[in-house]
């Protein structure tokens, strides 16, 4: 199916990897081709998107990049961007395939469902091998630089500038050739996660194994599921694995980070939700994934039936788990301490249905690749508080990036 989709200039695969969180409506959703498309830059992106959306009565797929923040909060970004995804892009697909374990549903306008399925069946299912030569991966931060930056951030927190800041670093490779489909299959095989995605926009790819939902709307209900709190798995020794899990459950640092981001999400949802409708439906739930245990909370609220999905995004973006608190101040500090633009990283990829329901992930645990520039990038981060140990924060970054490094090397 993906080999067939890759002949199109644009496609978006959303795959929950058979996780059954909150009774998903589908196992995976694939949108291919483009009837209409809009690419946006921060400035008046939301107004342009509203005009585009009002002319459609169809599904939309696409992304909102982190730097849309520059429109929401009148900020700026001057750092390096090696991938060059637009700040936001949405498209109306020609064909949509919705899969569950028993059936495939095809949304289309031309031809027949049978012809589309037959075309997929007639496409080679062989996945190309990765290059034999190992990919040379570099970091924008040397270890001492990263440790110094964390200590400086801690001083900002001590002064009262902020409470928590999500600090990220970029790993990258230049002049590298990969097959994105092969990398995606390897990544989700090694680290399957419920908000995985493979997104192609012309010469740019997002290869994503995200465990985190940014925001979902079903009717008048919206939910956000921020992640804060990580401990490593040990699948070889169940006792050590359980001990790591218990350490996460009992860690005052991890719990305080989670509660802090929950408060931030509650505040964001309160901007757009009906008064007194915002509730924490699950606080600090522990979920186990192949590489890590994660602490996940669920915050829900209700909106009026005439609330526009664009206004919901504008009120809540960027997601608190990838910024910190207070949001505007930490976004200013992020620009100061990080060395590259985040771009699509810590943005969101997802869909909007014709009735206005939507679902977006958080773009983390992801490889971004520009085929023209032959530039590959992935970023990882951790939440910095005053009590953070810089060495441990650095080790957490390496833990999170482990799956990606293993896939590429």
């Amino acid at each position: 199916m993906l080999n067939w989709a890759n002949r199109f200039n644009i496609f978006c695969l959303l795959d929950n990897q058979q996780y059954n969180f909150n009774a998903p409506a589908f196992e995976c959703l694939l949108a291919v081709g483009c009837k209409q498309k809009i690419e946006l830059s921060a400035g008046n992106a939301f107004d342009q998107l509203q005009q585009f959306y009002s002319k459609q009565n169809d599904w939309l797929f696409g992304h909102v990049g982190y730097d849309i923040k520059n429109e929401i909060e009148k900020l700026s970004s001057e750092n390096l961007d090696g991938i060059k995804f637009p700040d936001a892009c949405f498209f109306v697909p020609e064909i949509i395939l919705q899969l569950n374990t028993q059936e495939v549903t095809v949304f289309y306008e031309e031809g027949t469902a049978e012809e589309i399925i037959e075309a997929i069946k007639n496409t080679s299912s062989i996945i190309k091998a990765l290059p034999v030569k190992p990919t040379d991966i570099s970091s924008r931060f040397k270890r001492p630089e990263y440790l110094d930056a964390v200590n400086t951030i801690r001083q900002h927190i001590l002064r009262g500038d902020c409470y928590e800041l999500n600090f990220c670093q970029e790993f990258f490779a230049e002049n590298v050739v990969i097959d994105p489909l092969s990398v995606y299959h390897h990544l989700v095989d090694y680290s399957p996660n419920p908000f995985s995605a493979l997104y192609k926009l012309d010469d740019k790819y997002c290869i994503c194994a995200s465990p985190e939902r940014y925001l979902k709307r079903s009717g008048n209900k919206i939910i956000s599921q921020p992640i804060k709190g990580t401990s490593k798995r040990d699948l070889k020794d169940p006792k050590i694995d359980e001990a790591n899990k218990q350490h996460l459950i009992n860690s005052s640092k991890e719990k305080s980070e989670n509660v802090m981001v929950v408060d931030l999400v509650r505040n964001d949802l309160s901007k757009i939700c009906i008064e007194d409708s915002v509730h924490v439906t699950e606080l600090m739930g522990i979920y186990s994934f192949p590489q890590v245990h994660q602490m996940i909370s669920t915050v829900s609220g209700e909106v009026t039936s005439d609330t526009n999905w664009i206004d919901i995004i504008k009120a809540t973006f960027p997601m608190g788990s990838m910024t910190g608190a207070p949001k505007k101040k930490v976004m200013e500090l992020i620009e100061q301490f990080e060395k590259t633009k985040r771009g699509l990283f810590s943005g969101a990829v997802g869909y909007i249905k014709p009735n206005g329901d939507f679902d977006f992930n958080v773009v983390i645990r992801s490889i971004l690749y520009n085929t023209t520039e032959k530039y590959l990038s992935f970023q990882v981060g951790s939440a910095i508080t005053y009590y953070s140990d810089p060495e441990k924060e650095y080790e957490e970054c390496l833990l999170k990036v482990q799956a990606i490094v293993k896939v590429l090397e």
Side-chain angles (χ1 to χ4, degrees), residues 374-387:
K374 297 181 181 177
Y375 186 89
L376 181 148
S377 169
F378 54 98
Q379 298 192 47
V380 294
S382 64
I384 308 303
T385 68
Y386 178 71
Y387 298 102

Side-chain angles (χ1 to χ4, degrees), residues 24-120:
F26 54 84
E27 283 297 327
C28 74
L29 195 61
L30 174 67
V32 301
C34 180
K35 293 193 287 186
Q36 300 283 339
K37 180 179 74 170
I38 185 167
E39 295 188 13
L40 302 158
S41 297
N44 63 341
F46 286 107
D47 288 342
Q48 291 183 53
L49 181 56
Q50 181 58 58
Q51 293 172 21
F52 177 77
Y53 176 64
S54 64
K55 295 175 183 177
Q56 315 300 327
N57 184 27
D58 211 328
W59 292 72
L60 293 183
F61 286 75
H63 78 271
V64 182
Y66 175 76
D67 289 303
I68 282 291
K69 69 175 175 53
N70 296 340
E71 177 175 337
I72 296 171
E73 291 288 359
K74 307 303 180 189
L75 301 169
S76 63
S77 298
E78 306 301 332
N79 290 331
L80 171 73
D81 179 8
I83 299 296
K84 300 181 175 66
F85 268 103
D87 289 342
C89 177
F90 287 93
F91 70 99
V92 179
E94 296 173 3
I95 301 167
I96 301 171
L97 300 169
Q98 180 175 299
L99 282 67
N100 64 27
T101 54
Q102 301 297 324
E103 63 186 11
V104 56
T105 305
V106 186
F107 300 85
Y108 61 95
E109 287 189 0
E110 295 184 7
T112 66
E114 288 77 13
E115 288 172 343
I116 293 167
I117 297 299
E118 199 60 33
I120 294 171

Side-chain angles (χ1 to χ4, degrees), residues 323-371:
T323 54
K327 192 184 280 189
K328 183 178 180 181
K329 181 60 180 180
V330 296
M331 288 193 292
E332 292 172 353
L333 292 172
I334 283 168
E335 293 301 326
Q336 179 181 332
F337 288 103
E338 294 181 5
K339 296 187 177 184
T340 47
K341 281 189 178 181
R342 291 189 180 184
L344 183 49
F345 171 75
S346 75
V349 171
Y351 68 87
I352 306 96
K353 288 184 176 180
N355 67 357
D357 287 355
F358 63 81
D359 203 358
F360 285 93
N361 72 0
V362 178
V363 179
I364 52 176
R365 320 287 165 85
S366 300
I367 300 166
L368 303 177
Y369 180 58
N370 185 310
T371 60

